[in-house]
Amino acid sequence: MADDANPIALNRAGLIGKPVDRLEGKLKVSGTADYAYEVMEKPGAAFGYLVGATIPRGKIAGVDISAAEAAPGVLLVWTHRNAPSQPAPGTQSQAGSQAPAQPELYDERIRFYGQTAALVVAESFEQAAAAARLVRIDYEADAGAAVVFDDMHAAARDTGGDEEAQKGDFDAAFASAPAVIDATWTTPVQNHCQMEPHASLCWWEGDQVYAFTSNQSVKRPQHALGETLGIDRNKVHLRARYIGGGFGGKNNSYADLTLSALAARELKRPVKIALTRQQMFHMTVHRPATVQRVRLAADRNGQLTGISHETISHCARADRFMERASAFTKNLYAAPNRRIGHKLALMDLPVAGAMRAPGEAVGMLALECAMDELAEQLGMDPVDLRILNEPDVDPTDGRPFSTRPLVRCLKEGAQAFGWDARIPTPRHTRDGRWWVGTGMAAAIRGNFLLPAKAQIHISAEGIVTVRQAMTDIGTGTYTILAQIAAETLGVPLEEVRIELGHSEWAPAPGSGGSFGAASAGSAAMDAGINLRSKLAALAVGDAASPLHGGDPAKAEFRDGNIVIGNQAEALGDLVRRASPQGVDAVGAVTPDPKGREYSQHTYGGHFCEVGVDAVTGEVRVRRMIGVFAAGRILNHKTARSQLTGGMIWGIGGALHEENHVDPRFGSFVAQDLAQYHVPAQADIAGLDAWFIDEVDDIANPLGIKGVGELGICGAGAAVANAVYNACGVRVRDYPITVEKVLAGLQALEG
Amino acid sequence: MRAFTYERAGDAAGAARAAARPGAKLIAGGTNLIDLMKLEIETPTHLVDVSRLPLAGIEPTPDGGLRIGAMATNTALAVHPQVRARYPVVAQAVLAGASGQLRNKATVGGNLLQRTRCGYFYDPAKPCNKREPGAGCAALEGFNRMHAILGASEACIATHPSDMAVGMTAVGGRVEPVDGEGRTRALPLSELHRLPGDTPQVETALAPGELITAVVLDPPPAGRQLYRKVRDRASYAFGLASVAVAGGQAALGAVAHRPWRATTAEAALAGGASPDEAAAAELAPAQGRGGNDFKIPLTRRLLAAALAGENA
Ligand SMILES: Cc1cc2nc3c(=O)[nH]c(=O)nc-3n(C[C@H](O)[C@H](O)[C@H](O)COP(=O)(O)OP(=O)(O)OC[C@H]3O[C@@H](n4cnc5c(N)ncnc54)[C@H](O)[C@@H]3O)c2cc1C
Ligand code: SF4
């Protein structure tokens, strides 16, 4: 689209980029946003409580629900023995279905620790929880059920899919290079720990079900529920208006949705179910552990001749989710000889899944530290090493980049941070009991666009309403869609309403993979442009309008008016008179096949200073900045929050986040937020992030790129590299906790 | 959570009487007990709420010590001018624990009697001798990174998680429990908590129902005071190891089933040993279980540095 026809590029009212506060922010901080579990539209909900299995694999041998059924307030107790029959898992019977049936309590098999084994519904939450503990289930574990966690290599098998990334002769390059790195990094199980637990509230009206749930998408859970209930999915009215964090852990729906719908049908009243904090660790997905071997080969000047990045990650026996931690290495640095690999180790663990920046978040913890080690070996500055290996075109498939401002990010970050004053040799600065050092890393994350639609309406009062089966998972989607609609139609932000989270509305892909703003936003702009055409046609064809007889192609929309030449009319006046029921339009975005001819990514550079306690090995971040490139920025406040949130997550990935697998039970040890550590306020000092100016016209009609996952990518590697620079200890087994640093300090002390 | 009945105590002896009945339990701030009740690790059938008893005063004793009412909140204790001026190690220890919200609610009595943070204790699906005597201890061969290196047993290797208690233990003093007859006794702080032995479910020397009314700290020992806590993040994490120093006295936290008065190190120092030697002597009997082996050198280094006065 030419810039002069693109309202977002024109940005006449200056709403694009403006750091507008989140529209729903007040509702959230005042506790009045109704999340799924709190919806009051239909009072009288009964409370469900789930019971999780306590073996990693096997079957239910015996069940006694009599005590639970007899407990006060109990309305229903289900196990696989008496739950309603449902289609087999994976059933996808309706044309165009986006998600298969997700039956629960459908057989005696236990496939992972924590799998839903029973449901209790009672008049109150407390009664349901108390009765749930009276459900007696005897398990028979399979002989040989085992978690081979300590030796992922032994269990690993190839996944394929990386054929195009094998280039040249890596082994030969590695064997002949004067400078090489060959090391293995490991990352642990991580859990999403969303603030809002997975929760659903369902009721039926005749043969229609209303389902309020916490999900990153609207269409997928709607389709899954239709398949599971064996009803036409159009009879499923799914609502996901507010979502208290998703991070990939709410891409799927879980037992709360399936069972609240089934129980509501059985009891003929609303039923709601929320997972407890403890249950979330096993009943939903987690980021799997990885073992990553990275090998680099370079000439004496630092030019890479070979890159190899091979990842093993674990997954549940019946599943095939892979943490594709090596994937981004295809696109980051130039080198003629390349090897990329991914292998899966199948284990009796809960199902793994996507977690914020799947792949990069943990993969960059390996590659970007390997680059730091190579820079040290060559006596080069790590920023210079990266700039030297900057490719002109995608190093794997030769496609041009849509934009590639990585070097700009690195240079601007280095300057802002004061990188040139850095001392490369470790253990150079002491501040009291702290060793102080600095580190950096690059950031890269793939950019995506998915098909989406939007519907738009302008009322006789001049209020513009955008409706989409889209979600805002706490990122600012409501707000940026309002900015796009207001800018497109030339109306004040206050006159725009954004309504999301209804399955009946125009389909959008939901929130995930950082594609939400581009996909939903492009469709919203298109709907706005189509509405403008309709309004222009209405005005020029209406004898009572001052614009009557004008050229609709010349219509402009600004300050709440439609303007042709020196004639103007307020949109509200026009609609009230000429179309009092309002005017509707729809819009859509379909990814342009031309986009696939380009390598599309977002980029950044992280710079970090840490202190390492010389006595205890404790690591604390002292300051950190990130400079990023992500196309046009729609809202500098919400976008920056995504980046800083991602960087904080990256700090957590380097220093804090870990769930220990107990192979004896096939379970995770941490089951609450006292044990599963994410950074606390006091861990985050002097954090800043900003964007360089750029527009990506290839990526999508808005010229934007995804920002939701970029901040985490590489952030932890900058921390790890700073730890080494501070105290001389390289920890390649994340997170970098006291015992690992201390062992290194003791070794250095001799 | 099991159903329970609730009463608000009218006076200390009445509370002790009510709490001595089978199934009854005292509740103060509730920040530990309620979490445990939700998981049915604690299953009281009757709660006696003592949080409103008029036992929150903090005042000097005639001999130069300090009497701290058991219902004083952790926050009130940490900010009290007497505590800050004369017992900074206690103030620092309290502030090193939990979060602002929790400290506003948590009481001194409840803090002393909070239960371990062993992950298996918190997971009712796992064997735990403390929760279910005779069931076995999942931590012995399991994930025991946080666990005890001193004074543990084959039955239980859990630690006492309190920071406040470590600061108080370095200073020394007594608790004053009252029973259902209204009789108060003086129990030295060092005897309040037990080592696990083969009855890890018995954690204190208190009789059922006995209510702590106050902690009476000894006069502050001459010399500097400090509290240092090693933890996995900068705040809001239980300690991996901690040390409190008050003059020539010291205590360790997160290393044993009770706050650990470092008497061996104290004696060594008094006998002219260096801080390194004193710390090494204290940790000589320490025993790791795999995951927590690192806590031995960690605690030794921490104690040595604290005794040497390194607190920059
Ligand atoms: C997330 C989290 C993090 C935390 N982090 C830390 C930390 O880092 N360091 C730390 O030290 N603590 C920490 N805590 C624990 C906190 O300090 C305790 O929960 C709190 O001190 C308990 O006090 P309370 O008054 O709420 O006790 P309650 O929960 O009311 O009671 C605890 C126990 O003491 C008994 N009891 C209470 N008062 C008396 C009395 N007067 N006489 C006899 N028995 C009594 C009760 O019967 C119960 O068994 C943390 C807690 C949480 C939830
Ligand atoms: S260490 Fe103690 S509390 Fe932990 S599992 Fe063993 S017996 Fe239970």
Side-chain angles (χ1 to χ4, degrees):
Chain A
M1 190 184 315
D3 267 9
D4 58 359
N6 183 329
I8 304 308
L10 275 178
N11 199 16
R12 206 190 296 267
L15 287 174
I16 298 305
K18 201 172 169 185
V20 176
D21 288 346
R22 295 244 296 263
L23 298 185
E24 83 292 11
K26 274 197 189 116
L27 293 179
K28 287 182 173 170
V29 297
S30 61
T32 48
D34 49 349
Y35 290 82
Y37 202 71
E38 291 132 22
V39 166
M40 294 299 284
E41 277 164 45
K42 190 96 169 172
F47 294 78
Y49 195 98
L50 302 171
V51 177
T54 54
I55 56 164
R57 175 154 61 90
K59 65 172 193 179
I60 296 176
V63 162
D64 181 357
I65 59 173
S66 54
E69 283 184 320
V74 170
L75 301 167
L76 164 161
V77 183
W78 279 346
T79 68
H80 69 285
R81 297 206 174 153
N82 62 342
S85 84
Q86 301 150 70
T91 302
Q92 230 162 335
S93 62
Q94 299 178 28
S97 172
Q98 291 179 24
Q102 298 202 348
E104 296 288 340
L105 307 175
Y106 58 92
D107 69 5
E108 62 179 14
R109 291 296 303 164
I110 299 300
R111 295 163 180 84
F112 59 90
Y113 187 100
Q115 175 189 319
T116 305
L119 166 74
V120 177
V121 183
E123 292 288 350
S124 75
F125 172 81
E126 291 75 13
Q127 289 170 332
R133 298 203 199 262
L134 301 175
V135 174
R136 273 208 54 92
I137 302 180
D138 294 320
Y139 298 99
E140 219 171 78
D142 285 359
V147 184
V148 202
F149 204 74
D150 296 335
D151 189 6
M152 295 236 289
H153 293 272
R157 53 172 83 180
D158 263 312
T159 55
D162 296 313
E163 294 73 18
E164 95 284 1
Q166 318 306 328
K167 299 247 137 186
D169 184 345
F170 174 78
D171 290 329
F174 189 75
S176 63
V180 297
I181 296 293
D182 179 358
T184 297
W185 283 261
T186 55
T187 66
V189 169
Q190 297 178 346
N191 299 96
H192 302 74
C193 296
Q194 302 92 338
M195 290 258 278
E196 181 207 20
H198 305 68
S200 300
L201 163 60
C202 291
W203 70 79
W204 290 74
E205 289 179 15
D207 63 350
Q208 316 268 316
V209 62
Y210 289 79
F212 288 76
T213 194
S214 182
N215 198 293
Q216 290 171 234
S217 151
V218 178
K219 286 296 184 184
R220 280 195 306 274
Q222 178 204 20
H223 292 199
L225 193 55
E227 297 283 358
T228 310
L229 297 170
I231 61 174
D232 180 341
R233 62 173 175 253
N234 293 315
K235 294 180 174 170
V236 176
H237 305 277
L238 196 111
R239 306 284 180 264
R241 291 197 294 234
Y242 301 112
I243 296 99
F247 315 120
K250 291 176 182 168
N251 278 337
N252 309 323
S253 52
Y254 301 94
D256 55 301
L257 181 62
T258 297
L259 290 175
S260 59
L262 287 170
R265 186 169 70 186
E266 175 79 16
L267 295 171
K268 300 186 170 47
R269 66 188 271 194
V271 172
K272 58 181 174 179
I273 302 175
L275 271 56
T276 66
R277 177 61 61 189
Q278 283 79 7
Q279 289 170 343
M280 287 168 70
F281 286 84
H282 292 103
M283 278 185 186
T284 73
V285 293
H286 59 276
R287 192 199 300 277
T290 68
V291 177
Q292 304 175 49
R293 182 181 185 196
V294 175
R295 283 175 291 168
L296 301 176
D299 68 18
R300 279 200 184 77
N301 302 322
Q303 197 81 54
L304 288 168
T305 54
I307 301 183
S308 169
H309 190 168
E310 294 163 298
T311 299
I312 303 171
S313 83
H314 78 252
C315 90
R317 210 165 281 285
D319 192 54
R320 290 295 174 267
F321 179 83
M322 172 84 215
E323 182 78 24
R324 297 187 60 79
S326 310
F328 76 94
T329 301
K330 296 175 185 175
N331 315 106
L332 190 49
Y333 299 118
N337 303 293
R338 318 178 69 90
R339 175 176 298 160
I340 300 291
H342 293 96
K343 288 182 176 180
L344 272 181
L346 305 187
M347 292 180 198
D348 293 309
L349 284 174
V351 177
M355 181 161 145
R356 202 172 186 183
E360 289 91 341
V362 289
M364 299 200 86
L365 289 170
L367 183 77
E368 283 300 282
C369 291
M371 288 294 280
D372 198 67
E373 297 193 24
L374 180 64
E376 186 192 26
Q377 195 184 112
L378 292 162
M380 268 182 92
D381 182 89
V383 175
D384 294 342
L385 177 67
R386 285 165 172 87
I387 293 174
L388 180 72
N389 288 288
E390 175 71 1
D392 298 326
V393 294
D394 188 290
T396 290
D397 57 29
R399 286 179 302 172
F401 295 112
S402 61
T403 69
R404 172 99 182 181
L406 172 59
V407 171
R408 270 171 70 200
C409 293
L410 294 177
K411 287 186 170 164
E412 186 168 326
Q415 196 188 359
F417 186 79
W419 184 256
D420 56 359
R422 179 182 196 248
I423 303 169
T425 317
R427 296 165 82 89
H428 50 73
T429 301
R430 227 6 221 277
D431 176 7
R433 59 182 225 246
W434 300 95
W435 290 113
V436 180
T438 57
M440 60 78 56
I444 183 173
R445 168 73 194 162
N447 186 60
F448 309 98
L449 177 67
L450 297 183
K453 294 189 172 148
Q455 50 200 91
I456 194 164
H457 172 87
I458 182 164
S459 72
E461 291 72 44
I463 299 294
V464 174
T465 304
V466 177
R467 294 196 165 117
Q468 278 182 309
M470 178 61 192
T471 57
D472 182 328
I473 57 173
T475 52
T477 310
Y478 279 109
T479 314
I480 56 114
L481 288 174
Q483 289 172 273
I484 290 168
E487 189 59 59
T488 303
L489 284 155
V491 300
L493 206 52
E494 299 71 45
E495 290 177 13
V496 177
R497 309 278 177 272
I498 306 296
E499 298 185 359
L500 304 179
H502 272 235
S503 54
E504 289 89 320
W505 294 340
S511 309
S514 303
F515 50 61
S519 309
S522 296
M525 179 182 79
D526 189 54
I529 289 173
N530 291 340
L531 181 60
R532 296 202 317 196
S533 302
K534 286 192 166 184
L535 291 169
L538 195 64
V540 301
D542 177 9
S545 170
L547 278 60
H548 181 66
D551 178 359
K554 297 228 165 74
E556 290 180 2
F557 292 77
R558 51 176 196 248
D559 306 326
N561 296 319
I562 172 169
V563 181
I564 299 179
N566 53 10
Q567 296 295 325
E569 182 174 27
L571 288 177
D573 293 345
L574 169 65
V575 175
R576 195 157 39 243
R577 188 185 58 251
S579 182
Q581 73 286 6
V583 181
D584 290 284
V586 294
V589 63
T590 331
D592 181 349
K594 237 188 82 202
R596 281 199 296 270
E597 294 166 17
Y598 293 84
S599 179
Q600 293 186 28
H601 302 272
T602 50
Y603 300 94
H606 298 275
F607 295 82
C608 178
E609 178 181 306
V610 303
V612 179
D613 188 308
V615 173
T616 65
E618 288 166 286
V619 179
R620 302 287 185 255
V621 171
R622 295 160 72 104
R623 66 189 177 103
M624 185 160 180
I625 63 165
V627 178
F628 301 93
R632 174 179 282 123
I633 299 306
L634 292 169
N635 178 326
H636 273 279
K637 185 171 195 175
T638 55
R640 181 181 177 278
S641 294
Q642 287 299 305
L643 293 180
T644 52
M647 290 167 71
I648 291 166
W649 200 319
I651 292 171
L655 302 179
H656 308 122
E657 286 201 47
E658 167 170 38
N659 210 332
H660 190 86
V661 174
D662 193 325
R664 300 170 301 171
F665 305 103
S667 65
F668 304 132
V669 174
Q671 294 172 37
D672 58 37
L673 297 179
Q675 295 182 72
Y676 188 86
H677 284 166
V678 300
Q681 200 74 24
D683 290 291
I684 304 306
L687 189 77
D688 202 0
W690 63 90
F691 294 97
I692 64 167
D693 243 352
E694 73 148 358
V695 172
D696 189 333
D697 286 323
I698 306 289
N700 51 65
L702 301 172
I704 67 169
K705 285 177 174 174
V707 297
E709 293 163 305
L710 176 59
I712 187 174
C713 303
V719 176
N721 293 335
V723 169
Y724 173 73
N725 182 250
C727 72
V729 179
R730 290 251 187 230
V731 176
R732 300 193 188 93
D733 174 28
Y734 293 99
I736 304 173
T737 45
V738 164
E739 60 267 53
K740 301 168 195 170
V741 179
L742 186 61
L745 290 176
Q746 286 181 286
L748 288 172
E749 289 160 12
Chain B
M1 190 183 283
R2 298 261 178 93
F4 58 88
T5 51
Y6 170 92
E7 74 175 272
R8 193 171 286 172
D11 61 76
R17 213 156 38 242
R21 293 204 305 265
K25 190 108 196 153
L26 297 170
I27 183 167
T31 60
N32 187 220
L33 183 59
I34 289 176
D35 279 356
L36 294 168
M37 288 170 63
K38 285 189 200 163
L39 296 168
E40 296 199 8
I41 294 163
E42 298 262 22
T43 52
T45 52
H46 183 67
L47 285 185
V48 183
D49 184 348
V50 292
S51 62
R52 288 173 177 78
L53 290 181
L55 295 171
I58 299 177
E59 54 209 39
T61 58
D63 69 343
L66 191 70
R67 168 182 296 275
I68 302 161
M71 301 312 148
T73 66
N74 286 194
T75 300
L77 176 66
V79 303
H80 196 277
Q82 281 281 331
V83 178
R84 293 181 54 175
R86 298 173 57 226
Y87 299 96
V89 65
V90 173
Q92 288 168 23
V94 171
L95 293 176
S99 68
Q101 294 94 325
L102 285 159
R103 293 192 298 265
N104 287 342
K105 193 84 184 123
T107 63
V108 165
N111 190 320
L112 283 176
L113 297 182
Q114 64 175 298
R115 305 196 67 190
T116 186
R117 289 281 162 172
C118 169
Y120 299 106
F121 175 72
Y122 264 80
D123 180 351
K126 305 288 152 59
C128 167
N129 286 326
K130 190 184 277 297
R131 231 185 320 100
E132 202 187 324
C137 167
L140 274 181
E141 305 290 327
F143 181 65
N144 50 31
R145 177 171 180 266
M146 305 281 290
H147 287 72
I149 51 172
L150 289 165
S153 72
E154 290 305 309
C156 178
I157 56 172
T159 59
H160 192 267
S162 170
D163 290 294
M164 179 198 80
V166 181
M168 290 178 167
T169 298
V171 172
R174 61 180 191 272
V175 293
E176 294 189 342
V178 64
D179 68 12
E181 313 293 312
R183 286 181 304 236
T184 301
R185 62 176 173 136
L187 179 65
L189 258 176
S190 56
E191 290 169 25
L192 173 62
H193 298 98
R194 297 175 71 257
L195 290 179
D198 47 18
T199 53
Q201 72 278 15
V202 185
E203 293 168 352
T204 70
L206 296 177
E210 249 187 326
L211 168 81
I212 295 178
T213 56
V215 177
V216 182
L217 293 180
D218 292 343
R224 85 211 142 72
Q225 298 181 16
L226 76 94
Y227 187 73
R228 275 212 36 207
K229 174 180 181 182
V230 181
R231 46 189 148 173
D232 281 320
R233 60 181 169 194
S235 86
Y236 204 32
F238 289 95
L240 293 166
S242 70
V243 59
V245 173
Q249 299 168 192
L252 299 172
V255 295
H257 202 251
R258 66 176 191 218
W260 189 266
R261 181 76 180 256
T263 46
T264 308
E266 290 172 12
L269 274 185
S274 72
D276 280 340
E277 291 162 348
E282 188 65 49
L283 273 298
Q287 196 195 340
R289 301 280 175 164
N292 63 351
D293 290 350
F294 75 99
K295 287 175 68 166
I296 299 173
L298 174 68
T299 309
R300 188 174 56 231
R301 291 163 73 98
L302 183 68
L303 177 58
L307 293 175
E310 287 168 24
N311 187 31

